[in-house]
């Protein structure tokens, strides 16, 4: 027997991890509501974090997808793809589509991010790729090239460079700042990563700015401030920016160009929530607004937005930057802020052991970041210390947090203690 | 759904025999290798012992997955490879999906997730499908497999232990 009460209609724009988490979170709380996901991408949800593995050929295409069409069907979530949203009508609560409109009771915007494309001439030539969606990777898969130039050396640039190297390309990594991974690692860890890249045959140049892409129809080379460089493939990995075209005129942009939301993922407009890469939230560490553009933050934001949209108050604690990289035999992790992004009261503690390296970043005695190289076993303790905003003295920082798991075990003393414990034994089972 | 249970450790009874670690690695890995065990009994040394009042009680400690209710490993996994088993409530690694990026290791506040360099994937305690071998082989009774609502009582006091004893008596009575 159908109820007379009209069911709520939730509309979600974007089918990335944030939109998908929001949809599944709503479904957990409201069994009857109508949930509609609109997306331009014709694929079900996939994980962009594992696209480099697909590019290098380590995993096949089907493993990139984390949800199939059947999962949506089972949860009774309506997936309308490909569907382009052209605008919003906030007064009448409508989403404007290319042919018609869709009314909503609650709207969740999860449009994600778009690659930032530098303004240099020659970007329309064949062989210039961005690296964001699975469509981009499919294009690179069908492209035949030998020499690639990767512009930008963020985590995406480095991972794409490694994947192309695995595919047999000759790879050059070009960075315009003075070190690679400038927003993720400080000088020493960054130089260690650069060393390993160069040792394994990836050419790395820093302080080089691309001025023009050369060639007739196909790419034949790039021109930079250091001269000409021959290549047939150019990958633009110059960073991501929030995609906020839909609400550009309605909601003023935040400090970093994202949609500003509060801890409940509300945009300030009635019944409109936003989550994922397109939003700008408070940082978990010191409440300053940051763009997160990372998988785990988008997932938590999506869940929080879904739960709040369904009518239950849920606080999203804040975003935390966190990056992991595997570069040949070197593993590098960075959690929280790096030293270069903190301007006052900065303390750095470094520790080296057996080729491993760890660097804790402290601001006013509170741990705000940790970077590690080849020493990730007990970094989880630092992760939870950052979450707790733990205050620690300089010398004690490492001692107090080191996991007991990695002490060298000593032979067990067969003394007084042992027998005392034997007598205290009581069989419970 | 069955009642969710977790492995609980009572340091008062632990003798440091490492039978649990041996059993775990033998059961899952097929070889007796303590470094590949998903449960670790560690011995406090140096500074940790110096601050203790009753050192006899807290020499050993347990490092294993706590089957958190809001697990960071699950949030951090970019391949959605960590899933909750609907039967036992254990967090399991789906080895068809795991890509070995180690983000879950970094996010675990307990350091309970291991990396298997042969398979290039991570390993974690999955409660052996509802019958943990470490608990089965624990000779001193330090490891217990308890429902989640009783798990906090173990280290609290005498009365907590009494309550748990009642629980086991009740379970035995039911099975008979």
């Amino acid at each position: 027997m159908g109820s007379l009460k009209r069911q709520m209609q939730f509309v979600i724009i974007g089918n990335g991890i944030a939109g998908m988490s929001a949809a599944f979170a709503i479904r957990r709380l409201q069994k009857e509501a109508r949930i509609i996901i609109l997306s331009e991408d014709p694929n079900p949800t996939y994980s962009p974090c594992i696209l480099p593995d697909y590019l290098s050929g380590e995993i096949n295409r089907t493993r990139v997808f984390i949800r199939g069409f059947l999962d949506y069907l089972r949860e009774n979530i309506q997936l309308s793809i490909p569907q382009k949203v052209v605008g919003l009508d906030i007064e009448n609560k409508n989403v404007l589509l290319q042919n018609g409109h869709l009314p909503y009771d609650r709207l969740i915007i999860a449009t994600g991010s778009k690659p930032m494309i530098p303004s240099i001439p020659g970007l329309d030539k064949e062989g210039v790729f961005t690296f964001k969606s699975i469509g981009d990777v499919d294009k690179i898969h069908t492209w035949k090239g030998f020499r690639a130039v990767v512009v930008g050396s963020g985590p995406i640039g480095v991972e794409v460079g490694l994947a192309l190297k695995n595919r047999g390309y000759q790879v050059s990594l070009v960075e315009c700042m003075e070190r690679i991974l400038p927003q993720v690692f400080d000088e020493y860890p960054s130089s260690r990563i650069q060393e390993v890249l160069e040792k394994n045959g990836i050419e790395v140049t820093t302080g080089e700015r691309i001025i023009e892409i050369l060639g007739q129809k196909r790419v034949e080379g790039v021109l930079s401030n250091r001269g000409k460089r021959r290549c047939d493939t150019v990958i633009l990995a110059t960073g991501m920016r929030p995609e906020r075209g839909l609400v550009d005129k309605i909601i003023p942009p935040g400090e970093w160009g994202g949609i500003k939301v509060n801890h409940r993922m509300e945009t300030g407009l009635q019944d409109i929530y936003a989550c994922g890469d397109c939003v700008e939230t408070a940082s978990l560490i010191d409440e300053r607004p940051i763009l997160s553009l990372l998988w785990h933050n988008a997932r938590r934001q999506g869940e929080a937005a879904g739960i709040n949209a369904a009518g239950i108050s849920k606080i999203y604690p804040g975003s935390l930057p966190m990056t992991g990289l595997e570069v040949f035999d070197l593993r590098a992790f960075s959690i929280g802020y790096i030293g270069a992004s903190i301007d006052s009261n900065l303390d750095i503690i470094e520790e080296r052991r057996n080729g491993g390296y760890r660097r804790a970043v402290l601001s006013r005695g509170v741990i705000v970041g940790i970077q590690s190289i080849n020493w990730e076993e007990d970094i989880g303790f630092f992760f939870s210390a950052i979450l707790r905003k733990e205050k620690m003295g300089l010398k004690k920082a490492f001692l107090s947090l080191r996991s007991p798991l990695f002490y060298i075990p000593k032979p067990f003393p067969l003394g007084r203690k042992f027998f005392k414990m034997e007598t205290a034994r009581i069989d419970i089972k | 759904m069955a009642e969710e249970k977790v492995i609980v450790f009572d340091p008062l009874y632990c003798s440091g025999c490492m039978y649990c670690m041996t059993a775990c690695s033998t059961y899952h890995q097929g070889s007796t290798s303590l470094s590949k065990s998903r449960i670790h009994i560690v011995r406090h040394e140096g500074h940790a012992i110096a601050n203790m009042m009753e050192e006899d009680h807290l020499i050993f400690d347990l490092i294993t997955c706590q089957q958190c209710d809001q697990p960071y490993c699950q949030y951090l996994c970019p391949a959605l490879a960590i899933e909750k088993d609907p039967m036992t409530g254990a967090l399991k690694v789906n080895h068809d999906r795991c890509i070995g990026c180690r983000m879950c290791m970094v996010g675990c506040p307990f350091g309970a997730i291991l990396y298997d360099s042969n398979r290039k994937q991570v390993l974690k305690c999955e409660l052996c499908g509802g019958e943990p071998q470490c608990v089965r082989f624990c000779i001193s009774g330090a490891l217990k497999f308890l429902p989640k609502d009783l798990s906090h009582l173990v280290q609290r006091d005498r009365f907590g232990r009494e309550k748990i004893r009642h629980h086991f008596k009740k379970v035995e009575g039911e099975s008979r």
Side-chain angles (χ1 to χ4, degrees):
Chain A
M1 205 179 83
S3 67
L4 290 171
K5 200 183 147 210
R6 198 179 137 272
Q7 284 306 327
M8 290 270 265
Q9 178 147 309
F10 294 89
V11 176
I12 298 164
I13 304 173
N15 187 25
I17 179 65
M20 189 207 82
S21 308
F24 282 78
I26 294 169
R27 179 53 80 215
R28 275 207 307 274
L29 296 169
Q30 300 212 1
K31 299 286 178 213
E32 312 261 291
R34 288 192 59 179
I35 303 171
I36 302 165
I37 298 181
L38 309 170
S39 173
E40 278 181 64
D41 202 312
N43 299 301
T45 308
Y46 57 86
S47 171
C49 314
I50 57 182
L51 285 179
D53 289 351
Y54 166 47
L55 177 62
S56 71
E58 264 173 65
I59 59 174
N60 52 16
R61 195 173 188 274
T62 50
R63 262 182 72 178
V64 177
F65 296 100
I66 50 176
R67 289 275 187 267
F69 289 113
L70 214 60
D71 292 313
Y72 293 92
L73 208 64
R74 203 178 293 134
E75 297 282 339
N76 194 13
I77 293 166
Q78 205 177 322
L79 193 59
S80 168
I81 51 175
Q83 180 75 264
K84 192 166 167 54
V85 178
V86 289
L88 298 178
D89 178 5
I90 291 175
E91 270 111 62
N92 303 319
K93 287 196 169 184
N94 272 331
V95 175
L96 305 177
L97 307 174
Q98 266 172 341
N99 43 5
H101 59 88
L102 183 70
Y104 65 83
D105 291 312
R106 301 271 192 280
L107 178 69
I108 295 176
I109 299 168
T111 41
S113 56
K114 59 185 175 198
M116 188 169 71
I117 293 171
S119 54
I120 50 176
L123 287 172
D124 51 339
K125 295 188 173 57
E126 280 179 37
V128 181
F129 301 101
T130 53
F131 196 87
K132 167 71 186 163
S133 64
I134 193 162
D136 295 334
V137 188
D138 288 339
K139 270 188 239 161
I140 303 172
H141 258 292
T142 52
W143 177 255
K144 285 186 180 62
F146 305 100
R147 293 174 68 97
V149 169
V150 180
V151 186
S153 71
I156 298 176
V158 172
E159 287 201 328
V160 172
L162 292 169
L164 287 175
K165 179 81 190 164
N166 265 5
R167 285 178 67 81
Y169 279 78
Q170 202 176 346
V171 181
S172 311
L173 205 58
V174 177
E175 171 62 48
C176 67
M177 306 275 271
E178 71 279 11
R179 62 171 195 273
I180 64 162
L181 296 156
Q183 302 197 353
V184 188
F185 288 102
D186 280 331
E187 290 85 7
Y188 176 75
S190 163
S191 69
R192 280 278 296 270
I193 296 167
Q194 188 173 345
E195 242 169 60
V196 172
L197 284 172
E198 279 167 351
K199 205 175 74 192
N200 286 285
I202 292 179
E203 189 195 349
V204 182
T205 48
T206 52
E208 183 171 352
R209 192 178 290 275
I210 303 288
I211 299 164
E212 195 184 344
I213 294 170
L214 307 168
Q216 299 294 323
K217 201 176 159 211
R218 287 177 59 127
V219 173
E220 283 164 18
V222 289
L223 180 70
S224 72
N225 55 357
R226 301 250 181 105
K228 271 187 191 171
R229 196 187 277 277
R230 284 179 62 80
C231 68
D232 49 27
T233 312
V234 175
I235 312 273
L236 298 173
T238 39
M240 296 287 169
R241 280 291 162 267
E243 170 67 69
R244 42 182 291 281
L246 265 184
V247 289
D248 209 3
K249 291 174 191 126
I250 314 168
I251 305 169
E255 207 171 300
W256 297 94
I259 302 171
K260 221 169 169 48
V261 292
N262 62 7
H263 277 292
R264 291 196 173 79
M265 312 313 293
E266 295 158 344
T267 54
L269 298 172
Q270 205 189 354
D271 294 337
I272 298 184
Y273 299 80
C275 58
D277 282 2
C278 57
V279 304
E280 187 179 313
T281 53
S283 158
L284 188 70
I285 300 168
D286 58 0
E287 296 283 316
R288 71 167 111 151
I290 57 166
L291 287 176
S292 75
L293 303 176
L294 291 169
W295 171 265
H296 59 279
N297 292 329
R299 191 169 171 186
R300 297 197 78 164
Q301 285 167 4
E303 279 196 19
I307 292 171
N308 280 309
I312 292 167
S313 178
K314 161 105 179 167
I315 298 276
Y316 170 68
S319 301
L320 182 70
M322 193 163 171
T323 314
L325 272 179
E326 196 164 353
V327 183
F328 298 101
D329 56 343
L330 176 139
R331 287 136 5 236
F333 288 97
S334 168
I335 305 173
Y337 294 149
I338 60 169
S341 69
I342 290 167
D343 29 19
S344 62
N345 287 319
L346 170 73
D347 289 311
I348 301 272
I349 310 169
E350 292 175 294
E351 202 181 8
R352 293 176 170 80
R353 191 189 68 176
N354 298 344
Y357 170 81
R358 207 153 61 177
R359 179 190 185 97
V361 180
L362 281 81
S363 168
R364 296 187 187 83
V366 179
I367 181 162
V368 294
I370 176 91
Q371 295 155 50
S372 86
I373 284 180
N374 284 351
W375 190 358
E376 73 281 359
E377 286 92 352
D378 44 356
I379 197 174
F381 295 83
F382 290 92
F383 174 65
S384 43
I386 293 170
L387 294 185
R388 288 198 304 267
K389 303 184 177 69
E390 197 153 290
K391 213 163 195 161
M392 50 180 72
L394 282 182
K395 283 173 191 167
K396 278 196 172 175
F398 282 90
L399 253 184
S400 63
L401 274 173
R402 186 178 293 159
S403 148
L405 182 58
F406 300 98
Y407 287 128
I408 302 150
K410 284 181 186 161
F412 187 76
L414 279 170
R416 182 185 62 87
K417 280 174 200 158
F418 183 80
F419 290 110
K420 205 172 159 192
M421 242 176 264
E422 277 289 283
T423 50
R425 193 174 95 196
I426 303 161
D427 264 347
I428 280 187
K429 276 190 294 177
Chain B
M1 199 175 87
E3 193 175 27
E4 283 188 20
K5 288 179 157 187
V6 283
I7 297 170
V8 186
F9 179 68
D10 191 345
L12 181 63
Y13 300 118
C14 185
S15 63
C17 65
M18 299 190 181
Y19 263 34
C20 47
M21 294 168 71
T22 319
C24 181
S25 59
T26 314
Y27 183 78
H28 289 285
Q29 240 61 30
S31 65
T32 306
S33 150
L34 294 188
S35 63
K36 281 184 184 165
S37 167
R38 295 156 195 217
I39 184 169
H40 274 265
I41 298 291
V42 292
R43 205 182 127 80
H44 284 295
E45 308 263 347
H47 71 282
I49 270 191
N51 297 335
M52 271 175 201
M53 302 298 286
E54 298 170 64
E55 52 180 81
D56 281 1
H57 291 184
L58 292 166
I59 289 178
F60 297 105
D61 219 332
L62 174 77
I63 294 180
T64 191
C65 178
Q66 306 291 308
Q67 320 292 352
C68 309
D69 285 339
Q70 293 188 353
Y72 276 104
C73 53
Q74 202 181 19
Y75 279 123
L76 289 171
C77 181
L80 298 195
I82 295 181
E83 297 158 344
K84 199 155 199 160
D85 188 333
M87 285 308 291
T88 58
L91 293 161
K92 285 182 126 177
V93 178
N94 183 344
H95 289 288
D96 296 335
R97 280 195 179 156
C98 177
I99 55 164
C101 68
R102 310 184 203 207
M103 285 308 272
C104 51
M105 287 173 74
V106 173
C108 181
F110 305 101
I113 300 181
L114 305 177
Y115 185 72
D116 183 354
S117 48
N118 297 335
R119 215 167 10 162
K120 294 215 157 59
Q121 284 182 331
V122 292
L123 300 174
K124 69 179 285 303
C125 173
E126 295 170 357
L127 297 182
C128 303
E131 197 194 342
Q133 299 299 309
C134 47
V135 180
R136 193 180 148 203
F137 281 93
C138 180
I139 52 164
S140 58
L143 290 175
K144 300 178 187 72
F145 195 45
L146 288 175
K148 268 189 177 173
D149 53 343
L150 285 179
S151 60
H152 66 287
L153 292 172
V154 167
Q155 293 185 23
R156 184 167 282 180
D157 53 14
R158 196 156 63 83
F159 299 106
R161 293 199 170 87
E162 202 65 39
K163 260 190 177 173
I164 289 158
R165 218 164 288 152
H166 274 298
H167 166 77
F168 279 112
K169 269 184 193 164
K170 218 171 81 184
V171 171
E172 269 179 24
E174 279 170 7
S175 63
R176 268 170 205 166

